Amino acid sequence: LRYTRPGTSRPQISQVTRRRFLVAGVSAAISGIALAKGSAVVRAGSGRPGTDLAGEPLMEPPIRSSSGGLLQTSLEARTVSHQVGGRNVLSNVYERMFPAPTLHVRPGDTVKLHLSNQLEDITNLHLHGFHVSPSGNSDNVLLHIHPGESFDYEYHIPADHPAGLYWYHPHFHGLTTPQVFGGMAGAIIVEGDIDQIPGIEGARERLLLLHAIQLKGDSPIAFFDRNQVNFLRTVNGQLNPTFTIQPGETQRLRIANVSDSTWFWLKLDGHRMHQIAKDGNTYKRLVPRDDILIAPAERVEVLIQGGAPGSYSLRSLPFDQGFAVLPETVLATMVSQGSPVASAPLPSSLIPFNDLSKATVDRRRVITWQVLPRDDPQRANFLINNKLFDEDRVDIIPLLNSTEEWVLQNPSNVFHPFHIHINPFQTISVNGKPVDANSYEDTVSIPPRGEVVIRTRFLDFTGKFVFHCHILPHEDGGMMSVVDVVAPNDPLASTAVNAEGTNAQLLNSLRGNLFTCPVASSS
Ligand code: C2O
Ligand code: CU
Ligand code: CU
């Protein structure tokens, strides 16, 4: 046995010492790497963290683009020493770099992706926000890719897939936090219709991946303690990098929060941000904003127009996450310089979406997000509807093509960013107040002691996938559930309500085929 699921038994001693990581005890400091001791690492100088190399030009990760309808690429997961804000950091990353390479694809493309696991732990891969099959070697987060193994993923992106900003990260339950926290994250850009809208077309694009990492003293080892607030908040792995704009020029910023558990509350001094997209879904209209709160895993795209010559800070304002108040920080600096250009008009209406607020709801469910008092640090205490995650249980069985309304209730004192795989949703109300949605999204924060109502359609794909809290220590602690979308002619469909909450193997024997994990036999 390589791995013990949280909540079912205590992690084996050898695993605890090997990983220096308590799966369920989120109050414990955890390391962002699998094996730190004995690794040869160049120690960073004694410079105050956060000051080194501030003001360097913004760097963007290398781009890998599809051509002729195919993107064939590979990602190697490995624990290496790399640079964060001018310091050496030892952590888990893809392709020996953070952020990982940016993948560029188009609707209708096929992606063939070879994942090689050179970590000391199990991993796997998730395309966050993608509307693709959740089964087999597609976006299947129930796969376990063991150390030393590799796996060939293949994704078929539908021809009508929304264009915008997505991201990829590992998703093995129990170890998602240290792997993402260490820096296993990269952007995926789906090119398409939004890029041709006048006012957006041709605008200079910049990718800003927001992440937060912690180091302890001079140690280069990524270190996680959520009771501490001394996170280094980085943009593309840099501390306060600089980018330029000409006065009057329109630029398109694609911004993703790829941190494991940190909110970013963005404000750009002296400028309005004109939001055009959320979570890869184009807005129906341009929405001017003075500030934008971005929960873990959320993405926004904004247009900005350069102001009078000068330097402007892109800040993250102080925000009370419920478990920690992060102080204000300057994330990046925008310098407006050079010859002024006449500002092109901004677009007003963008791309409409199929509004579900008036749709007929086939099924309504109440889903409760619970944090239990932390009495035993070894005990997982993050539940959904009184249950810890169990990949062998199916919690919800929606019918293919049905419309469901979910009431997400949060009786706890902290935010839970709700995220569901495969199908985006429309937010209908927050704390009882109707929301005039601008687009679908794939992540929404449920406020402390609050309630969010969403509607979604389970289109195109049957099979099992998950929804969860995107505070990754909550997800690893058990706050995740399994959905199994079935076709109306599936034998399960008629018994769906009674079958929910039962063992996945029983359900599959009802269907006459036994559940097998494609790579379980190799462990
Ligand atoms: Cu960002 Cu379940 O994923
Ligand atoms: Cu996801
Ligand atoms: Cu949560």
Side-chain angles (χ1 to χ4, degrees):
L1 182 71
R2 311 287 301 255
Y3 168 69
T4 308
R5 221 164 264 121
T8 51
S9 61
R10 299 171 79 91
Q12 293 170 331
I13 297 291
S14 62
Q15 291 175 322
V16 172
T17 51
R18 192 166 69 86
R19 295 198 184 110
R20 305 170 62 230
F21 172 69
L22 302 179
V23 170
V26 294
S27 63
I30 61 172
S31 166
I33 59 168
L35 183 68
K37 275 176 286 189
S39 304
V41 183
V42 183
R43 296 238 154 207
S46 56
R48 197 165 74 82
T51 55
D52 317 50
L53 297 192
E56 293 275 295
L58 178 74
M59 314 258 290
E60 294 188 28
I63 291 171
R64 298 179 181 177
S65 295
S66 66
S67 73
L70 176 67
L71 174 63
Q72 189 147 19
T73 191
S74 60
L75 292 174
E76 182 192 77
R78 187 184 281 279
T79 306
V80 297
S81 182
H82 59 105
Q83 294 266 305
V84 174
R87 291 188 53 162
N88 289 311
V89 172
L90 182 67
S91 73
N92 305 317
V93 292
Y94 294 115
E95 299 292 273
R96 299 173 181 267
M97 63 178 95
F98 172 76
T102 301
L103 311 181
H104 277 237
V105 296
R106 301 191 63 86
D109 281 356
T110 293
V111 179
K112 294 187 179 179
L113 196 153
H114 181 79
L115 176 71
S116 164
N117 182 6
Q118 301 300 324
L119 304 172
E120 301 280 327
D121 287 304
I122 298 174
T123 191
N124 62 19
L125 191 73
H126 172 47
L127 305 195
H128 181 118
F130 266 73
H131 182 62
V132 292
S133 166
S135 307
N137 63 347
S138 182
D139 192 28
N140 179 352
V141 297
L142 301 175
L143 294 171
H144 303 178
I145 316 304
H146 290 263
E149 291 182 353
S150 56
F151 189 79
D152 290 298
Y153 288 93
E154 185 168 324
Y155 311 93
H156 298 275
I157 306 172
D160 59 354
H161 198 287
L165 177 59
Y166 299 83
W167 65 296
Y168 60 93
H169 63 82
H171 214 293
F172 176 63
H173 179 64
L175 294 177
T176 300
T177 308
Q179 293 184 1
V180 172
F181 174 73
M184 290 171 71
I188 314 179
I189 288 175
V190 180
E191 298 168 357
D193 47 11
I194 181 178
D195 309 328
Q196 268 81 59
I197 296 174
I200 298 177
E201 186 175 23
R204 167 145 200 181
E205 290 179 21
R206 298 189 187 277
L207 175 68
L208 284 73
L209 300 179
L210 312 179
H211 192 62
I213 199 160
Q214 261 177 320
L215 301 169
K216 199 179 198 177
D218 281 345
S219 168
I221 297 164
F223 160 90
F224 180 78
D225 181 352
R226 63 207 296 268
N227 297 314
Q228 311 257 322
V229 291
N230 59 334
F231 288 91
L232 301 180
R233 281 168 284 172
T234 60
V235 178
N236 297 349
Q238 296 175 279
L239 288 167
N240 191 8
T242 293
F243 62 95
T244 60
I245 191 168
Q246 285 167 266
E249 180 196 355
T250 302
Q251 290 191 3
R252 174 180 179 183
L253 306 185
R254 301 186 188 252
I255 306 170
N257 183 343
V258 302
S259 75
D260 70 287
S261 58
T262 299
W263 268 257
F264 290 83
W265 191 0
L266 297 186
K267 183 167 174 43
L268 178 59
D269 287 358
H271 290 75
R272 274 200 145 173
M273 297 174 282
H274 302 271
Q275 191 170 349
I276 56 173
K278 165 85 201 296
D279 298 347
N281 296 279
T282 304
Y283 265 11
K284 66 183 179 190
R285 58 176 168 230
L286 186 92
V287 178
R289 301 202 189 273
D290 292 321
D291 52 81
I292 303 179
L293 182 62
I294 310 182
E298 289 184 318
R299 289 89 65 211
V300 301
E301 295 193 48
V302 298
L303 300 177
I304 46 167
Q305 291 188 314
S311 274
Y312 303 92
S313 294
L314 176 65
R315 300 171 191 278
S316 188
L317 301 174
F319 181 67
D320 183 354
Q321 308 198 157
F323 50 87
V325 182
L326 285 174
E328 180 169 325
T329 194
V330 175
L331 294 170
T333 301
M334 184 176 85
V335 179
S336 181
Q337 64 179 35
S339 35
V341 297
S343 287
L346 294 169
S348 52
S349 53
L350 301 171
I351 299 177
F353 66 97
N354 186 1
D355 185 350
L356 297 179
S357 64
K358 308 245 155 41
T360 306
V361 170
D362 300 305
R363 182 91 201 263
R364 189 166 182 272
R365 304 176 195 262
V366 176
I367 296 170
T368 307
W369 303 70
Q370 299 149 304
V371 180
L372 299 186
R374 190 183 294 145
D375 40 15
D376 175 355
Q378 295 272 5
R379 206 180 99 207
N381 50 359
F382 298 100
L383 310 177
I384 295 175
N385 285 351
N386 298 309
K387 286 179 186 142
L388 281 172
F389 175 69
D390 179 351
E391 67 179 20
D392 294 327
R393 186 185 69 230
V394 171
D395 299 289
I396 286 177
I397 307 179
L399 290 185
L400 187 64
N401 293 322
S402 66
T403 303
E404 297 208 356
E405 178 172 280
W406 289 9
V407 180
L408 309 170
Q409 291 182 339
N410 179 4
S412 76
N413 290 323
V414 294
F415 284 90
H416 300 291
F418 162 81
H419 167 58
I420 186 163
H421 291 200
I422 311 301
N423 297 283
F425 56 83
Q426 180 177 344
T427 300
I428 301 295
S429 69
V430 174
N431 290 344
K433 277 206 205 110
V435 168
D436 179 11
N438 290 301
S439 68
Y440 291 166
E441 48 197 336
D442 63 46
T443 306
V444 67
S445 281
I446 324 167
R449 309 230 163 253
E451 182 181 283
V452 172
V453 177
I454 61 129
R455 286 186 183 178
T456 188
R457 278 192 174 150
F458 298 90
L459 299 176
D460 303 318
F461 304 109
T462 56
K464 274 197 268 186
F465 53 91
V466 295
F467 66 89
H468 57 90
C469 176
H470 223 293
I471 292 180
L472 298 181
H474 293 188
E475 175 193 327
D476 280 337
M479 200 173 248
M480 176 152 71
S481 293
V482 177
V483 171
D484 189 355
V485 177
V486 301
N489 62 356
D490 189 302
L492 273 188
S494 54
T495 57
V497 176
N498 295 330
E500 281 170 4
T502 49
N503 182 286
Q505 294 188 5
L506 277 177
L507 295 186
N508 281 288
S509 59
L510 263 176
R511 282 178 173 146
N513 61 338
L514 278 174
F515 170 77
T516 43
C517 172
V519 294
S521 50
S522 56
S523 62

